[in-house]
């Protein structure tokens, strides 16, 4: 059974405009801008063998920081705004994964001692704002979701996608993955 097509599926032109609109947008004190970060995260997903829908979700995981999405959801955390956008415009799976990339960080800090050591100062500062490590109950609830593996993978790609000279998924490759997702939902 395929997932239904969103009410107003994102077009390739809109996807390009959204990603290109991230150029120059600061990424929390990191050495890359939001566009570079998005395309590096998507490259890491594709390099890891992720399916098209997860590659697109990886590219859009921080789309809640894009000006047009922020304008639709003022004052809402970026992961929630991004998930709402993805729910209407992308797919059924992408919104949960996008919404959970922040809780995945909180879970990893609580369950993987080596993970916390990998976080840079900007990520440690944002962790405090995001609620700090999960408690045991939160970890159990998070881990019980069927898409938890996707959210944790996205989190790890997100953390690794901060290098100015790192590989980036070319826009035509992202657009092709997106087109295949839309076509699969319409089939």
């Amino acid at each position: 059974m395929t997932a239904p097509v969103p009410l107003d599926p994102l077009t390739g032109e809109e996807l390009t405009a959204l990603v290109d609109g991230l150029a120059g947008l600061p990424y929390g004190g990191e050495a890359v801008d939001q566009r570079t970060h998005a395309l590096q995260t998507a490259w890491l997903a594709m390099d890891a063998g992720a399916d098209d829908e997860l590659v697109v979700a990886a590219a859009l995981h921080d789309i809640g920081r894009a000006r047009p999405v922020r304008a639709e959801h003022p004052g809402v955390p970026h992961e929630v705004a991004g998930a709402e956008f993805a729910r209407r415009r992308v797919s059924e799976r992408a919104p949960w994964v996008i919404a959970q990339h922040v809780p995945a960080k909180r879970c990893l800090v609580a369950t993987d001692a080596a993970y916390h050591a990998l976080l840079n100062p900007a990520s440690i500062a944002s962790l405090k704002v995001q609620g700090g490590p999960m408690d045991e109950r939160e970890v159990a609830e998070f881990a019980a979701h069927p898409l938890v593996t996707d959210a944790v993978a996205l989190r790890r790609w997100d953390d690794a996608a901060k290098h100015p000279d790192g590989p980036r998924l070319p826009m035509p490759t992202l657009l092709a993955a997106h087109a295949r997702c839309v076509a699969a939902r319409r089939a």
Side-chain angles (χ1 to χ4, degrees):
M1 177 178 196
T2 60
V5 177
L7 244 29
D8 187 15
L10 191 63
T11 67
E13 293 80 19
E14 290 169 324
L15 177 57
T16 299
L18 275 171
V19 172
D20 287 349
L22 297 172
L25 192 61
Y27 176 52
E30 300 291 350
V32 296
D33 66 8
Q34 292 284 343
R35 183 179 190 278
T36 299
H37 176 65
L39 294 174
Q40 279 186 12
T41 306
W43 184 90
L44 289 164
M46 185 164 276
D47 187 58
D51 62 45
D52 288 331
E53 190 172 6
L54 192 51
V55 169
V56 173
L60 297 177
H61 77 280
D62 282 340
I63 204 64
R65 292 186 170 125
R67 288 176 184 95
V69 178
R70 280 194 337 246
E72 286 181 35
H73 306 282
V76 175
H78 82 281
E79 68 276 13
V80 176
E84 286 304 312
F85 173 82
R87 186 171 285 107
R88 289 183 294 104
R89 305 298 310 275
V90 181
S91 70
E92 288 186 354
R93 179 173 159 215
W96 192 86
V97 175
I98 290 169
Q100 297 306 308
H101 81 278
V102 169
K105 175 181 171 182
R106 297 182 58 229
C107 180
L108 285 167
V109 168
T111 60
D112 181 351
Y115 177 80
H116 189 274
L118 298 174
L119 298 179
N120 65 25
S123 196
I124 291 169
S126 67
L127 174 64
K128 291 176 185 172
V129 173
Q130 294 160 343
M134 286 183 171
D135 62 32
E136 288 182 25
R137 179 193 54 78
E138 290 172 313
V139 168
E141 288 175 9
F142 181 72
H145 195 281
L147 296 177
V148 69
T149 303
D150 291 344
V152 170
L154 174 55
R155 178 76 244 166
R156 291 188 184 276
W157 300 325
D158 181 6
D159 291 328
K162 299 175 181 181
H163 302 287
D165 299 321
R168 301 170 198 169
L169 193 68
M171 275 306 298
T173 305
L174 177 59
L175 291 170
H178 171 68
R180 287 189 298 271
C181 288
V182 172
R185 285 191 299 273
R186 288 187 173 149

